[in-house]
Amino acid sequence: MAYWQEVYDFAGQWRDRFRDYRMNQRDLAGQALGEACAALGFEMDGGQAFYAAYGEAATSYGALEGVIDEVVDISLLGAAIYARWQYFNQLADDPAAIELPQNRAWFILALGRLLTLAGGQPAPFRGHLKEMRLVSNRVAYGLLPGSCEEVEQVVTVDHEGGVSFAGYSYGHGPGSYEKARSRDFVIQQALTDALLCAMAAYFKRDPEGVFLTDSGSWDLTLTNTEDRVYLFKGSLGADLVYKEISLSDLLRKVLDMDDLYAFDGRGKPDLITRIALDYHRTRRLKAIAFPRDRSEKSLLQEETASLVIDKASGSLIFNQQTEGGRLSYRYEEGDAVSRLLESFEAERLFTAIEGNPADVIDDPDDSKTYAITLDYQKKPRRVIRGSYDKRGLPVDFAGFANCVSAFIRRQGLGDIFDPAVYGKVRRRRSDYIFCSVSFNYIGKDYYYLTDDDSIEAGDLVIVPAGEDNTKTLAEVQAVEYFSAEEAPFPLEKTKRIIRKCTDEEIDRYLEWDGEEE
């Protein structure tokens, strides 16, 4: 094997290892990396030559990132990698520090550059494609996934149309991937042939892998009809295109799976279809003493509440039962409820709970517990239970509660309790319409006249302002009716609203940061 190919294989192998959070100190700082560097003839100089050329880039990821494109000497870069490994293997107070994101990032960047400089390429595919197996992993350095997040997908397609899919969640830490879902099915032969032909044709060329330091990775195994295996790898994010056809999009379309990471990592994420929150509180009130027989009696009070947000029925339902009675609220509007559910990220919602310490004080007379049930479009149902307090609830529960309560407030109770409706005075024919308006940059209201009955408080309007009557955007604070005799300002001196704002003008107003341009 040519030397450049050996360096290429070394760089690709170890770059992938550093990007894999399942790899720990023993895997990364053990003897294997040092032995590989020695076998390639990299000099062990303690990193002195690289430091002389690039300074702190010899140990600092930030500094290396700034000069990485200037590094063109394979031997010099190889020696720097060798020296950095030696530090963690023999000299560091805490060898486990090699697992820290900034140290992983240094190795990933250096090895990625070495891969580019080596310029080696895997052997092009030959023959007729019998089977493809694609492993797509979206774990990147510095981005620690939640335990329930799907991070890896494995897709196998054979020449007869047999498809096997498995999705793996991150689990409870590095090295503990757990199968979250799987599916076996068969596709039409015509679709099978189209997919395998496109894959074979693309990889029969000299494929150029695109390697990024801050994204996931893909590994593709192609097996021909003579059972010869060809291996290819690259980074998620850069798609592979053959004759203007995206291989990622083709794979998703043929398998009818929009959420596949494929090669570009752009799979449509899972969706939450239903959220159910159940709350239960039990309180034992202080004992009551009865003076005649000196007996004592404790009172037990219970409170329950439930919230259900359901995409299928397009409804949000809230129920509460206390000693004092029952409260129910039901809102049905499919699109609004769907948008609310889509605002919650399925892969992250309620995935982290701090948990109470072992020595926390429990109140035996006041118990508050909850259960949250999450249903997904693809993943199986998930149920979370715990104590209803800051540490017992998911860390993002406050954001969820604020979002739901804001949604309920926006829907309101209609006109029946709206003071703008029941408190509005009907205008007489002789009345003038006075609008009190405010400007963003002035904390004061000004009266303007209008003949437009449709203007309401909260509307944005264009008015003449200042001595030169510059057209200016203002917000209506109140609309009032006055006779000529009761007008708050002389009619002949009161300026008139020009018109309501257009949608484009409203958009600019909402984006305005309050500073003069």
Side-chain angles (χ1 to χ4, degrees):
M1 181 185 295
Y3 177 72
W4 62 262
Q5 186 66 55
E6 293 180 7
V7 175
Y8 179 90
D9 291 344
F10 159 82
Q13 176 190 22
W14 281 97
R15 180 215 58 186
D16 288 348
R17 289 188 179 185
F18 275 94
R19 291 174 58 198
D20 186 348
Y21 272 86
R22 292 173 290 185
M23 296 291 174
N24 56 29
Q25 169 200 341
R26 293 188 299 276
D27 301 312
L28 303 177
Q31 293 300 118
L33 177 54
E35 291 172 354
C37 288
L40 290 171
F42 295 149
E43 183 181 357
M44 173 50 72
D45 67 347
Q48 294 181 16
F50 194 87
Y51 183 85
Y54 301 106
E56 294 182 359
T59 58
S60 166
Y61 167 72
L64 181 63
E65 189 178 33
V67 300
I68 193 64
D69 291 337
E70 302 173 16
V71 180
V72 295
D73 188 327
I74 287 180
S75 297
L76 185 64
L77 182 56
I81 294 170
Y82 197 179
R84 196 72 180 130
W85 164 83
Q86 182 194 38
Y87 170 77
F88 290 107
N89 178 266
Q90 303 173 13
L91 305 175
D93 293 334
D94 181 13
I98 197 171
E99 299 180 35
L100 296 176
Q102 64 267 30
N103 293 325
R104 284 182 182 267
W106 187 95
F107 279 100
I108 291 168
L109 188 59
L111 290 162
R113 181 60 175 173
L114 189 63
L115 194 71
T116 301
L117 295 176
Q121 298 294 338
F125 177 77
R126 293 291 181 264
H128 298 284
L129 185 55
K130 182 175 74 171
E131 181 182 274
M132 62 165 284
R133 181 178 186 270
L134 176 64
V135 180
S136 306
N137 187 300
R138 68 182 186 91
V139 175
Y141 81 86
L143 299 174
L144 292 177
S147 61
C148 296
E149 280 191 68
E150 187 166 282
V151 296
E152 187 170 273
Q153 297 176 345
V154 181
V155 179
T156 302
V157 183
D158 65 36
H159 68 289
E160 295 180 341
V163 180
S164 176
F165 169 83
Y168 295 85
S169 61
Y170 190 67
H172 300 286
S176 63
Y177 285 14
E178 299 175 352
K179 183 181 286 188
R181 57 186 176 123
S182 62
R183 180 184 172 198
D184 296 311
F185 56 100
V186 178
I187 58 176
Q188 296 177 8
Q189 191 62 51
L191 296 177
T192 303
D193 294 343
L195 175 63
L196 296 186
C197 285
M199 291 290 174
Y202 181 88
F203 287 98
K204 279 181 178 178
R205 310 179 305 173
D206 289 334
E208 298 181 359
V210 179
F211 298 99
L212 310 173
T213 62
D214 59 350
S215 73
S217 62
W218 56 263
D219 290 88
L220 177 66
T221 303
L222 299 181
T223 305
N224 66 15
T225 51
E226 298 177 356
D227 289 328
R228 182 176 178 182
V229 176
Y230 296 81
L231 305 177
F232 305 90
K233 61 178 58 185
S235 296
L236 289 182
D239 197 9
L240 311 183
V241 177
Y242 178 71
K243 291 186 176 180
E244 300 184 355
I245 298 174
S246 161
L247 295 186
S248 294
D249 288 343
L250 177 62
L251 184 62
R252 295 184 188 109
K253 184 176 181 179
V254 167
L255 303 187
D256 193 22
M257 297 181 70
D258 290 340
D259 61 332
L260 288 180
Y261 299 155
F263 302 100
D264 61 12
R266 300 175 191 151
K268 187 177 179 181
D270 201 355
L271 295 174
I272 298 173
T273 58
R274 187 175 185 270
I275 300 175
L277 167 62
D278 292 292
Y279 169 77
H280 185 209
R281 181 177 188 179
T282 303
R283 287 189 294 174
R284 190 179 300 276
L285 301 183
K286 292 182 179 181
I288 300 175
F290 295 87
R292 290 186 178 179
D293 54 9
R294 296 188 178 181
S295 63
E296 293 185 349
K297 181 181 179 181
S298 28
L299 299 178
L300 198 64
Q301 286 190 348
E302 288 193 278
E303 177 182 340
T304 60
S306 66
L307 171 72
V308 177
I309 309 173
D310 182 43
K311 180 180 177 68
S313 62
S315 63
L316 182 151
I317 304 170
F318 174 77
N319 288 304
Q320 179 176 287
Q321 180 73 53
T322 67
E323 295 293 326
R326 179 182 178 87
L327 171 66
S328 294
Y329 173 89
R330 183 184 184 96
Y331 175 79
E332 293 186 2
E333 209 285 76
D335 290 342
V337 172
S338 293
R339 288 194 298 270
L340 175 62
L341 286 169
E342 289 169 5
S343 70
F344 303 122
E345 191 174 349
E347 298 294 341
R348 292 186 179 275
L349 185 68
F350 300 156
T351 57
I353 299 176
E354 180 182 352
N356 283 296
D359 61 347
V360 70
I361 299 174
D362 287 321
D363 184 352
D365 294 328
D366 193 356
S367 169
K368 296 184 287 290
T369 60
Y370 74 91
I372 299 175
T373 303
L374 298 167
D375 290 321
Y376 301 88
Q377 192 174 67
K378 293 179 281 289
K379 291 194 301 183
R381 169 177 288 183
R382 187 159 64 95
V383 180
I384 310 163
R385 302 178 189 275
S387 59
Y388 199 83
D389 53 67
K390 183 176 178 62
R391 289 177 175 155
L393 286 160
V395 295
D396 53 353
F397 183 80
F400 166 80
N402 289 337
C403 186
V404 173
S405 60
F407 176 86
I408 294 174
R409 286 196 302 272
R410 282 197 302 272
Q411 312 317 315
L413 296 174
D415 290 349
I416 188 171
F417 294 120
D418 187 350
V421 176
Y422 67 70
K424 184 174 182 178
V425 177
R426 297 177 65 181
R427 183 167 71 96
R428 299 172 61 185
R429 291 183 182 277
S430 59
D431 285 344
Y432 291 87
I433 306 174
F434 277 80
C435 295
S436 177
V437 308
S438 65
F439 302 94
N440 248 341
Y441 51 88
I442 300 176
K444 184 179 178 181
D445 293 348
Y446 294 86
Y447 275 120
Y448 280 82
L449 282 168
T450 184
D451 293 325
D452 188 347
D453 260 318
S454 69
I455 293 178
E456 299 177 340
D459 285 346
L460 297 178
V461 293
I462 300 296
V463 300
E467 294 182 357
D468 55 355
N469 289 324
T470 303
K471 292 183 179 179
T472 307
L473 185 147
E475 182 176 353
V476 177
Q477 301 298 322
V479 178
E480 301 173 85
Y481 305 136
F482 296 100
S483 64
E485 296 77 18
E486 297 174 337
F489 202 75
L491 296 175
E492 66 277 6
K493 294 183 179 182
T494 305
K495 298 179 181 179
R496 288 185 168 272
I497 291 175
I498 298 173
R499 59 175 169 80
K500 286 185 179 181
C501 287
T502 63
D503 291 341
E504 292 77 12
E505 290 166 335
I506 292 174
D507 289 340
R508 287 199 300 270
Y509 174 81
L510 294 175
E511 295 171 0
W512 188 68
D513 59 7
E515 296 181 1
E516 294 292 339
E517 295 183 356

